[in-house]
Amino acid sequence: MRLIKTLAAGALSSLSLACFAGPTLDFEGVGNGKQVLNFYAGQGITFDKNAVAFVSAKEVGAFGGLFTNTPSPSTAITVLTGPDDDNFSFLINITGGFQTSLGLSFGTQRGAFGDVTLYSQADGKGNAIGFEELFQAEDAQANCKDQVLGDLICVWTLADIDFSGTAYSVRVSSSAAGLMFIDNMRFGTAEPGNNVSEPASLALALAAAGAVAMSRRRKPAANTA
């Protein structure tokens, strides 16, 4: 009985974590040179006008993003602003918020850097409840030069930003437009690619819960004689 309870507790705990896993955005399908905007609105996540997606220039030529070897197929996003806008950042709003951590992969051109700030309210308002600087060693992309396209980003760094409370918005800032690219943004506790609970885990949790219920029904009545 004790073993059954232990299995049930572990399985249900794993199920709980899986059910509250946040989505991972890989930006595939947004389009080359297209603003992200409401592309993920169906998941409650929206971007402002400065978040722009690019497909790797290795695939689409000089009008693509100067990167390759992305963690997910071939698209990443960057900060891109107008000629009179020196606010090198974009804002993300998350309906309902998310908790625990924000994960992302990033790559920077030589000398470029950025940061991420998480806020307790939408539109970058409220308290800053999480912060992480995004930078790579100056020679991180030293072996990424292409004979035709020039300097590329081919080395990506995984950042995992833990925080307390609930974040309703995220601001991503860069030292300059188009010099830092981001891929695989994960909002919540799951590792990238593990956003849906596995059928086996679900079956285990339900079976364990059923076993506990059955054992309770079969428990003999106390002898009152």
Side-chain angles (χ1 to χ4, degrees):
M1 177 63 180
R2 181 175 299 172
L3 176 59
I4 291 174
K5 285 184 176 180
T6 301
L7 289 172
L12 290 172
S13 175
S14 297
L15 177 61
S16 175
L17 286 174
C19 288
F20 287 96
T24 296
L25 312 185
D26 61 13
F27 307 106
E28 301 302 319
V30 176
N32 186 53
K34 302 295 185 181
Q35 294 169 312
V36 182
L37 297 175
N38 297 320
F39 189 82
Y40 292 105
Q43 298 183 59
I45 302 173
T46 57
F47 292 71
D48 75 10
K49 62 182 178 62
N50 289 347
V52 180
F54 283 92
V55 178
S56 169
K58 295 284 281 186
E59 293 198 11
V60 298
F63 291 102
L66 294 179
F67 60 83
T68 186
N69 196 36
T70 43
S72 59
S74 59
T75 306
I77 63 171
T78 189
V79 177
L80 202 61
T81 59
D84 299 322
D85 187 355
D86 59 359
N87 174 29
F88 302 128
S89 71
F90 61 78
L91 186 70
I92 311 167
N93 280 317
I94 304 93
T95 302
F98 69 102
Q99 298 179 335
T100 307
S101 67
L102 171 71
L104 57 87
S105 293
F106 72 95
T108 60
Q109 290 279 7
R110 184 182 179 120
F113 58 90
D115 59 64
V116 178
T117 308
L118 297 91
Y119 294 94
S120 61
Q121 296 179 20
D123 299 320
K125 297 178 180 178
N127 296 321
I129 58 175
F131 177 81
E132 183 83 7
E133 292 183 339
L134 306 178
F135 64 91
Q136 295 176 308
E138 284 214 7
D139 60 351
Q141 315 295 344
N143 297 318
C144 302
K145 193 176 184 68
D146 183 87
Q147 291 183 350
V148 176
L149 299 170
D151 292 332
L152 295 178
I153 293 168
C154 72
V155 176
W156 300 80
T157 299
L158 178 64
D160 203 354
I161 307 157
D162 296 327
F163 63 94
S164 298
T166 301
Y168 290 88
S169 59
V170 176
R171 182 171 293 282
V172 177
S173 300
S174 176
S175 56
L179 296 185
M180 178 178 74
F181 285 87
I182 290 176
D183 197 12
N184 282 12
M185 294 195 77
R186 184 251 306 153
F187 299 82
T189 58
E191 292 297 324
N194 294 335
N195 296 323
V196 182
S197 58
E198 297 178 6
S201 299
L202 179 59
L204 175 61
L206 293 176
V212 171
M214 184 65 71
S215 65
R216 287 176 177 171
R217 285 198 296 271
R218 290 180 176 178
K219 186 176 180 180
N223 187 357
T224 57

